Amino acid sequence: MATNRTFTMIKPDATAAGNIGAITKMIEEAGFRIVAMRLTHLSRERAGQFYEVHKERGFYADLCAYMSSGTIVPMILEKENAVADFRKLIGATNPEQAEAGTIRKMFAKSIEANAVHGSDSDENAAIEGAFFFAGIQQY
Ligand code: ADP
Ligand code: MG
């Protein structure tokens, strides 16, 4: 059975722009239940660990600098078909290609500063959730 959970974080561009509330509202209105949530920062080293799978990509160093530049809001979300439905709600990586009404279309600044993360599989959702919430009670 699918886990019915996914992992997201609101990224530094969106927290700096004051969009934590607006994005969280869209997530809840789309039927996701927030199971765990924090307001935190990543060091450059921790950002590097989180995005390790991208370490050979040209944008990796910039991405780690950006992701450690400000406040982030990691969350674990629950809903039927959570991973796929959440990817649909956030839209394409590049906001210029994101569909109207998606979170990235509405709030992202660029392909890098794209407002939110969304896990790409049940397996990664579990790994990424544990990265921020290991040992923390989830409701
Ligand atoms: P997604 O977040 O949509 O799953 P990826 O996993 O491919 O996208 O990339 C992880 C993150 O790296 C993106 O959300 C974005 O912040 C950044 N990124 C991806 N592609 C680029 C790019 N070509 N230039 C700069 N940053 C990028
Ligand atoms: Mg990805």
Side-chain angles (χ1 to χ4, degrees):
M1 200 183 109
T3 60
N4 294 327
R5 287 191 173 184
T6 192
F7 170 81
T8 185
M9 55 187 160
I10 304 177
K11 297 186 179 184
D13 61 292
T15 61
N19 288 324
I20 295 173
I23 291 172
T24 303
K25 184 167 196 274
M26 280 183 72
I27 291 171
E28 289 191 312
E29 284 179 352
F32 293 87
R33 192 171 74 86
I34 299 169
V35 173
M37 183 177 194
R38 297 172 61 191
L39 192 134
T40 187
H41 291 77
L42 282 173
S43 65
R44 206 173 283 219
E45 190 189 6
R46 286 265 294 163
Q49 285 165 12
F50 186 86
Y51 284 110
E52 183 109 49
V53 23
H54 294 304
K55 68 170 183 283
E56 307 303 335
R57 310 278 290 273
F59 59 78
Y60 178 69
D62 269 1
L63 176 62
C64 295
Y66 158 65
M67 285 302 299
S68 57
S69 70
T71 301
I72 57 164
V73 182
M75 295 180 223
I76 295 173
L77 305 175
E78 193 168 75
K79 182 186 181 296
E80 247 176 71
N81 203 31
V83 167
D85 284 3
F86 193 72
R87 292 293 304 203
K88 208 165 173 200
L89 178 66
I90 68 178
T93 308
N94 184 347
E96 286 175 16
Q97 284 154 20
E99 273 183 51
T102 59
I103 292 175
R104 282 171 167 169
K105 186 65 172 189
M106 293 172 72
F107 298 108
K109 305 263 187 285
S110 68
I111 190 169
E112 177 181 80
N114 60 2
V116 280
H117 172 82
S119 301
D120 61 9
S121 65
D122 286 347
E123 188 194 1
N124 284 334
I127 292 168
E128 292 168 358
F131 188 91
F132 287 97
F133 297 104
I136 293 176
Q137 176 78 49
Q138 291 160 32
Y139 298 91

